[in-house]
Amino acid sequence: MSNDNNFEKRGVDYSIKHGERTLPGKYYHDEGIYSEEVEKIFYKFWIYACREEELPNFGDYKIIKVEDESIILVRDKENEVRGHFNVCRHRGTQLCAEEKGSFESKNIQCPYHAWTYGLDGKLIGAPLMAKEDGFNKEDCTLHHCHVHSWEGFIFISLSENPEPFEVQMEALVDKFSDWRMGDLRIAHHIEYKLDCNWKLILQNYQECYHCPGVHPLLSQLTPFQSAQHDHSKGAVIGGFMELTKERGSMTMDGEAAAPPVCDVSGDDLQRIYYYSLFPNMLLTPHPDFVLFHHITPKGPGSITNNCYWLFHPDVIADKTARERIKSAVDFWDLTNRQDWTVCEQMQKGTGSRRFTRGYYSGQEDILLALDKELLKALGHDESN
Ligand code: FES
Ligand SMILES: [Fe+2]
């Protein structure tokens, strides 16, 4: 993306200096570096988990897997979503094996010796465990996982003491309030399984240097030279591109898929925003819908990428709008697959003994910001 002078004013210097280099290839392949990333990033940062609408009712739950940890997200009777480690306090058995469902009894019971917990995590039943034996139920509450809801998106942090969500996501907090994303609903979802490192998907998302060759249709709708930095800070890094067609959007024919979302107006009617919420979410607000990706790493060389299309519920309910939603889905499914092909090829190439470090172009300065965020989190210095 091209440079924006305002960046220096904000004290963020992402500009490419002559000879700026990419990460060494080991960052995409090395098991040791991957383990460090899991420990220092995925177990520590706020990460995207699921949408509020996936847990509509009291007792509904969803299991979120973060590498070898498993978290139960459950909606309690106060309508809050709570997070618990999926680990019984008796002898450590995993409590819940199903990926999602509803706790009909409104409590969580271990399948082994039937210790029972309230949805708030408190131990309420432990057969034959007596106070006289020095046993205290209060000491056996399920281990807590931090939960934060923003605009219908639920984020979790597995850290015992995470920094506040508003600090990690400072640039995001009031950024897209006109979309009222909490009111939007999932109209479509596709799960992709890819053989590449998780960071290659973030990198690919944040530059359009590849667009003329890889995405001919996208390049007609939003010329790659239109890419701009936007307000970015820390873990929230992004920008926008301008639509060529008035009241257009990213669809197979370039026409809008729906009326503008909620309060979207002015310049936002002609922009597609691309925001990485480091480390595991990509958020793409369009004038008429919102696309987002949820990236789950499965080792250094593979990921699951769940892609969602959010529309206003009135549009989803309107049968005549189905073809237009499909046009938005087809456009991004086509574009996604074009991206996945080059990301998987890059995964292969960067594993070569001959690949050390590459060279960034002036179009790829956000990638440098992503690299810096990664190295800062890992405490690595790759400056030489
Ligand atoms: S391990 Fe859960 S009740 Fe025994
Ligand atoms: Fe792309």
Side-chain angles (χ1 to χ4, degrees), residues 17 28 39 46 80 83 160 177 235 266 268 281 302 329 338:
K17 296 168 191 74
Y28 312 116
E39 209 59 51
W46 287 100
E80 292 291 311
E160 291 195 46
S177 47
D268 290 341
M281 185 177 168
S302 69
V329 170
Q338 291 164 341

Side-chain angles (χ1 to χ4, degrees), residues 12 16 41 70 91 105 126-127 134 165 244 319 324 346 371:
V12 185
I16 296 279
I41 298 171
S70 173
R91 279 168 49 204
S105 56
F165 177 85
T244 45
K319 286 197 180 109
R324 297 308 304 153
M346 185 171 165
D371 293 350

Side-chain angles (χ1 to χ4, degrees), residues 204-205 207-208 210-211 214-215 218 335 338-339 342:
N204 170 271
Y205 177 78
E207 54 92 356
C208 216
H210 70 275
C211 292
V214 175
H215 306 304
L218 179 142
T335 305
Q338 291 164 341
D339 280 328
V342 286

Side-chain angles (χ1 to χ4, degrees), residues 170-330:
E170 189 187 333
L172 180 70
V173 172
D174 296 317
K175 174 75 190 161
F176 295 117
S177 47
D178 283 352
W179 275 258
R180 287 197 259 139
M181 292 186 209
D183 293 346
L184 306 186
R185 292 292 176 267
I186 299 167
H188 199 79
H189 163 226
I190 299 178
E191 179 175 280
Y192 302 95
K193 289 188 190 303
L194 308 176
D195 292 325
C196 70
N197 185 271
W198 63 278
K199 298 183 293 296
L200 296 188
I201 300 296
L202 272 78
Q203 292 178 6
N204 170 271
Y205 177 78
Q206 289 294 191
E207 54 92 356
C208 216
Y209 187 33
H210 70 275
C211 292
V214 175
H215 306 304
L217 180 53
L218 179 142
S219 299
Q220 282 174 30
L221 306 182
T222 49
F224 83 103
Q225 304 94 326
S226 74
Q228 301 269 332
H229 276 320
D230 196 33
H231 182 61
S232 303
K233 194 165 183 185
V236 179
I237 298 170
F240 62 86
M241 294 178 73
E242 299 272 0
L243 286 158
T244 45
K245 203 177 266 189
E246 200 167 328
R247 283 292 298 114
S249 190
M250 306 308 269
T251 58
M252 294 305 285
D253 59 8
E255 300 291 341
V261 172
C262 297
D263 305 326
V264 173
S265 62
D267 288 346
D268 290 341
L269 294 173
Q270 289 307 120
R271 290 178 177 177
I272 311 295
Y273 287 91
Y274 294 88
Y275 267 63
S276 297
L277 312 188
F278 184 87
N280 77 333
M281 185 177 168
L282 307 174
L283 181 65
T284 317
H286 296 53
D288 48 341
F289 65 97
V290 173
L291 178 84
F292 76 95
H293 298 259
H294 176 199
I295 299 163
T296 306
K298 309 270 179 187
S302 69
I303 61 161
T304 302
N305 190 354
N306 282 282
C307 185
Y308 296 86
W309 286 256
L310 302 179
F311 278 80
H312 194 278
D314 292 348
V315 175
I316 296 172
D318 177 2
K319 286 197 180 109
T320 65
R322 284 197 186 146
E323 279 306 306
R324 297 308 304 153
I325 293 177
K326 184 174 181 303
S327 187
V329 170
D330 288 349

Side-chain angles (χ1 to χ4, degrees), residues 88-95 110-117 127:
C88 181
R89 294 298 306 267
H90 176 215
R91 279 168 49 204
T93 302
Q94 199 163 73
L95 293 162
C110 179
Y112 205 169
H113 313 95
W115 281 29
T116 304
Y117 305 85

